[in-house]
Amino acid sequence: MDEFLQFVAEIFEVDVSAISPDTRYGEIPEWDSLMHLRLIGEIEERYEVELPLDDASDIQTLRDFYALTQA
Amino acid sequence: MRVALLSNVNLDLVGKALKVPSETWIPPGYGEWVVLTYEQGATALRDFGPDQVVVVLDGTALVDGVADAAVEDELGAHLAHVARLAAAFPHSRIVVSTLDFPARAIRPASAGRPEERWSSTWRQGLEGLAQRADNVHVLDLARLVSDVGRTGFYSPKMWYLGGQPYAMSATKLVAAAVDEALALPARTRKKVMVVDLDNTIWGGVVGEDGPAGLVIGPSGVGAAYRDVQRRLKELAATGVLLAAVSKNEQADAVAGLEDNAQMVLAPDDFVAILAGWGPKPEAIASLGERLNLGLASFVYLDDNPVEREAVRQALPDVTVLDFPRDIAALPQVVADAAAEHFWVDRLTAEDEAKGDQYRQEAARAEFRDAAGGMDDYLRQLDVRITIAEMSEAQRSRTAQLTQKTNQFNVLTRRHTAEELGRLATRPDHHTFTVAVTDRFGDAGQVAVVMVRVDGGTAHIENLLMSCRVMGRAIEDSVLAAVEWHLAEEGVHTVEAAYERSDRNTPVQDLFDRQGYERLTETDERVTYRREVGAPAPDRRDLHTVTWATS
């Protein structure tokens, strides 16, 4: 999880202390709809996973994202 | 560089990934690009003041909901939007994408694939527009898609989630393609393609196998060499000078080209065929002197790794191409070199006549050897100089001169055609174009003088001349004529400067020879002043100058 948060923090361009598994979509200014799209793309590339559309649409928190990378 | 990125889909991620622009503007709300092409809607874009406007369109989204039978009309309407945008922003470079159309509907096989036709309809319309409007340029997105493959390029999920049609990896490729298109105007085009002959543009060794024994023809390995020659001939047709440097007897080298019916290239396609047994770097360096071109404008192709290394070592300015291990890849090596080193947006009349002009230069050199004193020689050349205020039709060539001229260039200020158009609207600014003919032929437009007038003082803000006509005291006649022309407007003092670049030492004392006084002086920059009509003992007056009224 720590490594995942570090990866996300780099994409957000924030310090890792600014986010947690419970950070919600829209909760911090960096995580807007554009960043959401980019996050899906970057995470798919990095973790070599395919996030199905309906799962991706349901993502609320970074923990949800992380769960999808572990599938 | 200020770049506006317009699209009918969500291009925010592409915009974020761009590296070339110093500032990128994307209109709020995607799909809004059409509004910006209308005068009433263009305010925000106008306020941004783009140097370049990039329009990347997605074919599928562009005709979504439009019946098959109406798509061609819809594309025509969108071309009209592009044309209006180009007209509304005449001083911005407008880069517009081609369109890719994956099959968009389930149809019986007998209905065919109208999408492929739409793609070419758009391409033809866009290319036609680019020919009519100087500032419109094509970004070949459809080709990028086909190179990558649609399956990896598009991501339905990204489309449904965020209105962006591309997969994440394709986003980066689109951004790279846009960056490349944006950077093109600043790129300096190389001028000379030097090729080895044996086992480079034909198979075999002409001195041993004889012209008839060379490998070139319609099939097999011969076809690869034939295609190499075709690419080289196409390259020459874009104004690149082709030269051969070969370890052979001169007669054998020429016979190889002449006495085998399968050859695509003929001796006349080359500005020089240098055959001999001396070191190739020396032959290439002497070619540079003969053509009066710097070696940084040379690209070299040779199958022999020892020769390539010798050229690399002795002439580090020359670009040496990697030779493929498999000869099948060689035609593409030439095509890639064309894209990387010889890219040209549009051809000017000068480009098309360039090979001829350099052959004339060779004839002039012979004449010079025969003539007596240099000034006598120059007078006998019957040089006729025509100076004019730059017309709209001359912008493209003028911009090209500012971008390509390195040696005879006192300030090395590069301009695009769009910038020149902007400057032309300023009342205190002159861009003078200089065309030259002599008894051997027409050299076309060869020099540019840009001047800003501030009351009684004129400032030379750019002064450059093609190296093809250097060494004929043409600059003496041009500067004298420009000074007197300005004097008629009330100018009494002309100020100028020389700024050192890597390449412009040939003009480091130009203004000294023209009777200008030095004002300030550092290693990098010397400034000058001259009162119009003051003595200029070293200035020569050898040529006829005419002012053209446009």
mmCIF file of all heavy atoms in Angstrom, chain A residues 34-42 44-45 49-53 56-57, chain B residues 10 12-13 16 155-164 168-170 172:
data_model
loop_
_atom_site.group_PDB
_atom_site.id
_atom_site.type_symbol
_atom_site.label_atom_id
_atom_site.label_comp_id
_atom_site.label_asym_id
_atom_site.label_seq_id
_atom_site.Cartn_x
_atom_site.Cartn_y
_atom_site.Cartn_z
ATOM 1 N N LEU A 34 -10.108 15.102 -14.432
ATOM 2 C CA LEU A 34 -9.006 14.871 -15.373
ATOM 3 C C LEU A 34 -7.968 13.950 -14.744
ATOM 4 O O LEU A 34 -7.500 12.994 -15.351
ATOM 5 C CB LEU A 34 -8.375 16.215 -15.754
ATOM 6 C CG LEU A 34 -7.135 16.108 -16.646
ATOM 7 C CD1 LEU A 34 -7.494 15.522 -17.999
ATOM 8 C CD2 LEU A 34 -6.494 17.482 -16.819
ATOM 9 N N MET A 35 -7.635 14.243 -13.463
ATOM 10 C CA MET A 35 -6.647 13.423 -12.767
ATOM 11 C C MET A 35 -7.168 12.009 -12.577
ATOM 12 O O MET A 35 -6.405 11.045 -12.650
ATOM 13 C CB MET A 35 -6.303 14.072 -11.417
ATOM 14 C CG MET A 35 -5.201 13.363 -10.675
ATOM 15 S SD MET A 35 -3.674 13.259 -11.642
ATOM 16 C CE MET A 35 -2.950 14.859 -11.289
ATOM 17 N N HIS A 36 -8.458 11.881 -12.393
ATOM 18 C CA HIS A 36 -9.064 10.568 -12.219
ATOM 19 C C HIS A 36 -8.812 9.713 -13.461
ATOM 20 O O HIS A 36 -8.408 8.555 -13.375
ATOM 21 C CB HIS A 36 -10.565 10.730 -11.977
ATOM 22 C CG HIS A 36 -11.226 9.478 -11.509
ATOM 23 N ND1 HIS A 36 -10.901 8.877 -10.320
ATOM 24 C CD2 HIS A 36 -12.174 8.691 -12.085
ATOM 25 C CE1 HIS A 36 -11.631 7.777 -10.165
ATOM 26 N NE2 HIS A 36 -12.408 7.641 -11.236
ATOM 27 N N LEU A 37 -9.015 10.351 -14.604
ATOM 28 C CA LEU A 37 -8.809 9.663 -15.880
ATOM 29 C C LEU A 37 -7.338 9.253 -16.017
ATOM 30 O O LEU A 37 -7.006 8.137 -16.400
ATOM 31 C CB LEU A 37 -9.200 10.626 -17.002
ATOM 32 C CG LEU A 37 -9.478 10.039 -18.380
ATOM 33 C CD1 LEU A 37 -10.625 9.055 -18.308
ATOM 34 C CD2 LEU A 37 -9.798 11.158 -19.368
ATOM 35 N N ARG A 38 -6.480 10.200 -15.677
ATOM 36 C CA ARG A 38 -5.050 9.927 -15.815
ATOM 37 C C ARG A 38 -4.604 8.818 -14.864
ATOM 38 O O ARG A 38 -3.821 7.947 -15.229
ATOM 39 C CB ARG A 38 -4.267 11.214 -15.532
ATOM 40 C CG ARG A 38 -2.811 11.015 -15.737
ATOM 41 C CD ARG A 38 -2.000 12.269 -15.802
ATOM 42 N NE ARG A 38 -0.613 11.896 -15.522
ATOM 43 C CZ ARG A 38 0.249 12.675 -14.907
ATOM 44 N NH1 ARG A 38 -0.106 13.882 -14.510
ATOM 45 N NH2 ARG A 38 1.470 12.255 -14.692
ATOM 46 N N LEU A 39 -5.168 8.874 -13.647
ATOM 47 C CA LEU A 39 -4.823 7.870 -12.632
ATOM 48 C C LEU A 39 -5.170 6.467 -13.124
ATOM 49 O O LEU A 39 -4.371 5.535 -12.991
ATOM 50 C CB LEU A 39 -5.625 8.186 -11.354
ATOM 51 C CG LEU A 39 -4.985 7.917 -10.008
ATOM 52 C CD1 LEU A 39 -3.577 8.449 -9.942
ATOM 53 C CD2 LEU A 39 -5.844 8.531 -8.901
ATOM 54 N N ILE A 40 -6.333 6.339 -13.726
ATOM 55 C CA ILE A 40 -6.734 5.029 -14.253
ATOM 56 C C ILE A 40 -5.725 4.570 -15.304
ATOM 57 O O ILE A 40 -5.231 3.438 -15.271
ATOM 58 C CB ILE A 40 -8.158 5.110 -14.849
ATOM 59 C CG1 ILE A 40 -9.170 5.317 -13.714
ATOM 60 C CG2 ILE A 40 -8.481 3.848 -15.641
ATOM 61 C CD1 ILE A 40 -10.554 5.667 -14.209
ATOM 62 N N GLY A 41 -5.383 5.494 -16.221
ATOM 63 C CA GLY A 41 -4.436 5.148 -17.281
ATOM 64 C C GLY A 41 -3.076 4.771 -16.728
ATOM 65 O O GLY A 41 -2.485 3.760 -17.111
ATOM 66 N N GLU A 42 -2.572 5.581 -15.790
ATOM 67 C CA GLU A 42 -1.227 5.340 -15.248
ATOM 68 C C GLU A 42 -1.184 4.055 -14.425
ATOM 69 O O GLU A 42 -0.214 3.309 -14.469
ATOM 70 C CB GLU A 42 -0.777 6.524 -14.381
ATOM 71 C CG GLU A 42 -0.703 7.858 -15.111
ATOM 72 C CD GLU A 42 0.599 8.066 -15.882
ATOM 73 O OE1 GLU A 42 1.409 7.113 -15.952
ATOM 74 O OE2 GLU A 42 0.794 9.176 -16.421
ATOM 75 N N GLU A 44 -3.136 1.447 -14.709
ATOM 76 C CA GLU A 44 -3.226 0.289 -15.612
ATOM 77 C C GLU A 44 -1.866 -0.027 -16.218
ATOM 78 O O GLU A 44 -1.473 -1.177 -16.329
ATOM 79 C CB GLU A 44 -4.249 0.559 -16.720
ATOM 80 C CG GLU A 44 -5.688 0.450 -16.228
ATOM 81 C CD GLU A 44 -6.682 0.523 -17.371
ATOM 82 O OE1 GLU A 44 -6.344 1.124 -18.416
ATOM 83 O OE2 GLU A 44 -7.792 -0.013 -17.215
ATOM 84 N N GLU A 45 -1.154 1.040 -16.610
ATOM 85 C CA GLU A 45 0.163 0.829 -17.220
ATOM 86 C C GLU A 45 1.150 0.253 -16.219
ATOM 87 O O GLU A 45 1.839 -0.716 -16.484
ATOM 88 C CB GLU A 45 0.720 2.167 -17.739
ATOM 89 C CG GLU A 45 0.470 2.376 -19.213
ATOM 90 C CD GLU A 45 1.222 3.594 -19.766
ATOM 91 O OE1 GLU A 45 2.176 4.092 -19.122
ATOM 92 O OE2 GLU A 45 0.840 4.050 -20.818
ATOM 93 N N VAL A 49 -2.724 -3.987 -15.225
ATOM 94 C CA VAL A 49 -4.072 -4.507 -14.992
ATOM 95 C C VAL A 49 -5.042 -3.774 -15.903
ATOM 96 O O VAL A 49 -4.716 -2.726 -16.461
ATOM 97 C CB VAL A 49 -4.529 -4.291 -13.523
ATOM 98 C CG1 VAL A 49 -3.748 -5.194 -12.594
ATOM 99 C CG2 VAL A 49 -4.396 -2.828 -13.123
ATOM 100 N N GLU A 50 -6.207 -4.356 -16.096
ATOM 101 C CA GLU A 50 -7.280 -3.695 -16.821
ATOM 102 C C GLU A 50 -8.381 -3.407 -15.807
ATOM 103 O O GLU A 50 -8.913 -4.325 -15.188
ATOM 104 C CB GLU A 50 -7.827 -4.618 -17.922
ATOM 105 C CG GLU A 50 -6.959 -4.669 -19.164
ATOM 106 C CD GLU A 50 -7.158 -3.450 -20.070
ATOM 107 O OE1 GLU A 50 -8.241 -2.814 -19.988
ATOM 108 O OE2 GLU A 50 -6.239 -3.143 -20.847
ATOM 109 N N LEU A 51 -8.707 -2.140 -15.604
ATOM 110 C CA LEU A 51 -9.797 -1.816 -14.685
ATOM 111 C C LEU A 51 -11.086 -1.749 -15.501
ATOM 112 O O LEU A 51 -11.229 -0.857 -16.329
ATOM 113 C CB LEU A 51 -9.549 -0.471 -13.997
ATOM 114 C CG LEU A 51 -8.174 -0.276 -13.337
ATOM 115 C CD1 LEU A 51 -8.138 1.063 -12.599
ATOM 116 C CD2 LEU A 51 -7.862 -1.402 -12.380
ATOM 117 N N PRO A 52 -12.010 -2.692 -15.261
ATOM 118 C CA PRO A 52 -13.248 -2.654 -16.054
ATOM 119 C C PRO A 52 -13.999 -1.344 -15.821
ATOM 120 O O PRO A 52 -13.913 -0.746 -14.747
ATOM 121 C CB PRO A 52 -14.046 -3.847 -15.534
ATOM 122 C CG PRO A 52 -13.054 -4.708 -14.825
ATOM 123 C CD PRO A 52 -11.992 -3.786 -14.308
ATOM 124 N N LEU A 53 -14.748 -0.942 -16.829
ATOM 125 C CA LEU A 53 -15.419 0.359 -16.803
ATOM 126 C C LEU A 53 -16.304 0.544 -15.568
ATOM 127 O O LEU A 53 -16.250 1.566 -14.903
ATOM 128 C CB LEU A 53 -16.257 0.528 -18.085
ATOM 129 C CG LEU A 53 -17.093 1.794 -18.188
ATOM 130 C CD1 LEU A 53 -16.217 3.044 -18.159
ATOM 131 C CD2 LEU A 53 -17.917 1.777 -19.470
ATOM 132 N N ALA A 56 -14.238 0.925 -12.480
ATOM 133 C CA ALA A 56 -13.571 2.223 -12.490
ATOM 134 C C ALA A 56 -14.554 3.335 -12.142
ATOM 135 O O ALA A 56 -14.205 4.313 -11.494
ATOM 136 C CB ALA A 56 -12.932 2.472 -13.859
ATOM 137 N N SER A 57 -15.785 3.181 -12.593
ATOM 138 C CA SER A 57 -16.800 4.213 -12.317
ATOM 139 C C SER A 57 -17.172 4.248 -10.839
ATOM 140 O O SER A 57 -17.638 5.264 -10.337
ATOM 141 C CB SER A 57 -18.075 3.933 -13.130
ATOM 142 O OG SER A 57 -17.761 3.765 -14.473
ATOM 143 N N ASN B 10 -11.897 15.361 -25.395
ATOM 144 C CA ASN B 10 -11.138 15.799 -24.223
ATOM 145 C C ASN B 10 -9.647 15.600 -24.483
ATOM 146 O O ASN B 10 -9.158 14.483 -24.516
ATOM 147 C CB ASN B 10 -11.586 14.979 -23.003
ATOM 148 C CG ASN B 10 -10.826 15.365 -21.751
ATOM 149 O OD1 ASN B 10 -9.938 16.230 -21.776
ATOM 150 N ND2 ASN B 10 -11.172 14.728 -20.642
ATOM 151 N N ASP B 12 -7.246 17.219 -22.610
ATOM 152 C CA ASP B 12 -6.517 17.788 -21.470
ATOM 153 C C ASP B 12 -5.241 17.016 -21.149
ATOM 154 O O ASP B 12 -4.203 17.596 -20.853
ATOM 155 C CB ASP B 12 -7.411 17.825 -20.232
ATOM 156 C CG ASP B 12 -8.502 18.875 -20.367
ATOM 157 O OD1 ASP B 12 -8.442 19.647 -21.349
ATOM 158 O OD2 ASP B 12 -9.399 18.914 -19.524
ATOM 159 N N LEU B 13 -5.326 15.675 -21.229
ATOM 160 C CA LEU B 13 -4.139 14.878 -20.884
ATOM 161 C C LEU B 13 -3.036 15.061 -21.919
ATOM 162 O O LEU B 13 -1.863 15.095 -21.572
ATOM 163 C CB LEU B 13 -4.504 13.397 -20.763
ATOM 164 C CG LEU B 13 -5.277 13.009 -19.501
ATOM 165 C CD1 LEU B 13 -5.610 11.527 -19.521
ATOM 166 C CD2 LEU B 13 -4.486 13.354 -18.249
ATOM 167 N N LYS B 16 -1.452 18.370 -21.158
ATOM 168 C CA LYS B 16 -0.554 18.300 -20.002
ATOM 169 C C LYS B 16 0.797 17.695 -20.366
ATOM 170 O O LYS B 16 1.807 17.995 -19.751
ATOM 171 C CB LYS B 16 -1.185 17.438 -18.903
ATOM 172 C CG LYS B 16 -2.321 18.102 -18.159
ATOM 173 C CD LYS B 16 -1.861 18.611 -16.806
ATOM 174 C CE LYS B 16 -3.031 19.110 -15.971
ATOM 175 N NZ LYS B 16 -3.840 20.132 -16.679
ATOM 176 N N SER B 155 -9.028 3.612 -26.534
ATOM 177 C CA SER B 155 -9.498 2.941 -25.331
ATOM 178 C C SER B 155 -10.955 3.311 -25.116
ATOM 179 O O SER B 155 -11.262 4.426 -24.705
ATOM 180 C CB SER B 155 -8.675 3.369 -24.112
ATOM 181 O OG SER B 155 -9.383 3.039 -22.932
ATOM 182 N N PRO B 156 -11.857 2.378 -25.392
ATOM 183 C CA PRO B 156 -13.288 2.689 -25.187
ATOM 184 C C PRO B 156 -13.560 3.117 -23.750
ATOM 185 O O PRO B 156 -14.398 3.984 -23.497
ATOM 186 C CB PRO B 156 -13.982 1.356 -25.498
ATOM 187 C CG PRO B 156 -13.019 0.575 -26.307
ATOM 188 C CD PRO B 156 -11.643 1.032 -25.911
ATOM 189 N N LYS B 157 -12.809 2.535 -22.809
ATOM 190 C CA LYS B 157 -13.061 2.878 -21.400
ATOM 191 C C LYS B 157 -12.735 4.350 -21.120
ATOM 192 O O LYS B 157 -13.495 5.051 -20.468
ATOM 193 C CB LYS B 157 -12.217 1.978 -20.513
ATOM 194 C CG LYS B 157 -12.416 2.275 -19.055
ATOM 195 C CD LYS B 157 -11.736 1.250 -18.205
ATOM 196 C CE LYS B 157 -10.293 1.181 -18.610
ATOM 197 N NZ LYS B 157 -9.684 -0.106 -18.240
ATOM 198 N N MET B 158 -11.595 4.812 -21.627
ATOM 199 C CA MET B 158 -11.246 6.213 -21.422
ATOM 200 C C MET B 158 -12.292 7.113 -22.077
ATOM 201 O O MET B 158 -12.605 8.192 -21.577
ATOM 202 C CB MET B 158 -9.864 6.504 -22.020
ATOM 203 C CG MET B 158 -8.730 5.775 -21.340
ATOM 204 S SD MET B 158 -8.544 6.189 -19.604
ATOM 205 C CE MET B 158 -7.007 7.081 -19.621
ATOM 206 N N TRP B 159 -12.803 6.658 -23.187
ATOM 207 C CA TRP B 159 -13.825 7.437 -23.883
ATOM 208 C C TRP B 159 -15.092 7.525 -23.046
ATOM 209 O O TRP B 159 -15.622 8.610 -22.814
ATOM 210 C CB TRP B 159 -14.101 6.807 -25.260
ATOM 211 C CG TRP B 159 -15.261 7.420 -25.967
ATOM 212 C CD1 TRP B 159 -16.457 6.831 -26.264
ATOM 213 C CD2 TRP B 159 -15.350 8.765 -26.473
ATOM 214 N NE1 TRP B 159 -17.279 7.706 -26.913
ATOM 215 C CE2 TRP B 159 -16.628 8.910 -27.058
ATOM 216 C CE3 TRP B 159 -14.489 9.860 -26.486
ATOM 217 C CZ2 TRP B 159 -17.070 10.099 -27.642
ATOM 218 C CZ3 TRP B 159 -14.922 11.045 -27.064
ATOM 219 C CH2 TRP B 159 -16.190 11.152 -27.639
ATOM 220 N N TYR B 160 -15.553 6.369 -22.557
ATOM 221 C CA TYR B 160 -16.803 6.383 -21.791
ATOM 222 C C TYR B 160 -16.622 7.090 -20.452
ATOM 223 O O TYR B 160 -17.519 7.750 -19.960
ATOM 224 C CB TYR B 160 -17.307 4.950 -21.564
ATOM 225 C CG TYR B 160 -17.757 4.278 -22.844
ATOM 226 C CD1 TYR B 160 -17.255 3.044 -23.230
ATOM 227 C CD2 TYR B 160 -18.709 4.892 -23.672
ATOM 228 C CE1 TYR B 160 -17.668 2.435 -24.405
ATOM 229 C CE2 TYR B 160 -19.119 4.295 -24.854
ATOM 230 C CZ TYR B 160 -18.597 3.066 -25.215
ATOM 231 O OH TYR B 160 -19.000 2.484 -26.377
ATOM 232 N N LEU B 161 -15.448 6.950 -19.861
ATOM 233 C CA LEU B 161 -15.224 7.549 -18.542
ATOM 234 C C LEU B 161 -14.986 9.058 -18.622
ATOM 235 O O LEU B 161 -15.476 9.811 -17.783
ATOM 236 C CB LEU B 161 -13.971 6.938 -17.905
ATOM 237 C CG LEU B 161 -14.147 5.722 -17.000
ATOM 238 C CD1 LEU B 161 -12.785 5.258 -16.547
ATOM 239 C CD2 LEU B 161 -15.039 6.036 -15.813
ATOM 240 N N GLY B 162 -14.208 9.451 -19.631
ATOM 241 C CA GLY B 162 -13.762 10.847 -19.580
ATOM 242 C C GLY B 162 -13.779 11.590 -20.897
ATOM 243 O O GLY B 162 -13.256 12.711 -20.982
ATOM 244 N N GLY B 163 -14.365 11.012 -21.927
ATOM 245 C CA GLY B 163 -14.452 11.749 -23.189
ATOM 246 C C GLY B 163 -13.124 11.871 -23.911
ATOM 247 O O GLY B 163 -12.958 12.703 -24.800
ATOM 248 N N GLN B 164 -12.162 11.026 -23.513
ATOM 249 C CA GLN B 164 -10.896 10.994 -24.243
ATOM 250 C C GLN B 164 -10.807 9.670 -24.997
ATOM 251 O O GLN B 164 -10.888 8.611 -24.385
ATOM 252 C CB GLN B 164 -9.710 11.107 -23.275
ATOM 253 C CG GLN B 164 -8.413 10.884 -24.043
ATOM 254 C CD GLN B 164 -7.231 10.645 -23.155
ATOM 255 O OE1 GLN B 164 -6.645 11.583 -22.662
ATOM 256 N NE2 GLN B 164 -6.873 9.373 -22.968
ATOM 257 N N MET B 168 -3.975 5.478 -22.584
ATOM 258 C CA MET B 168 -2.967 6.309 -21.907
ATOM 259 C C MET B 168 -1.671 6.391 -22.718
ATOM 260 O O MET B 168 -1.085 7.457 -22.883
ATOM 261 C CB MET B 168 -2.681 5.701 -20.525
ATOM 262 C CG MET B 168 -1.992 6.657 -19.582
ATOM 263 S SD MET B 168 -3.038 8.079 -19.243
ATOM 264 C CE MET B 168 -1.784 9.268 -18.828
ATOM 265 N N SER B 169 -1.222 5.217 -23.238
ATOM 266 C CA SER B 169 0.042 5.220 -23.982
ATOM 267 C C SER B 169 -0.099 6.057 -25.256
ATOM 268 O O SER B 169 0.830 6.754 -25.651
ATOM 269 C CB SER B 169 0.449 3.791 -24.317
ATOM 270 O OG SER B 169 -0.610 3.158 -25.017
ATOM 271 N N ALA B 170 -1.279 6.006 -25.896
ATOM 272 C CA ALA B 170 -1.483 6.766 -27.126
ATOM 273 C C ALA B 170 -1.515 8.269 -26.846
ATOM 274 O O ALA B 170 -1.094 9.083 -27.676
ATOM 275 C CB ALA B 170 -2.777 6.331 -27.807
ATOM 276 N N LYS B 172 0.377 9.822 -24.921
ATOM 277 C CA LYS B 172 1.773 10.301 -24.965
ATOM 278 C C LYS B 172 2.267 10.386 -26.406
ATOM 279 O O LYS B 172 3.033 11.285 -26.758
ATOM 280 C CB LYS B 172 2.659 9.373 -24.129
ATOM 281 C CG LYS B 172 2.327 9.498 -22.637
ATOM 282 C CD LYS B 172 2.854 8.352 -21.806
ATOM 283 C CE LYS B 172 2.291 8.463 -20.377
ATOM 284 N NZ LYS B 172 2.573 7.270 -19.577
#
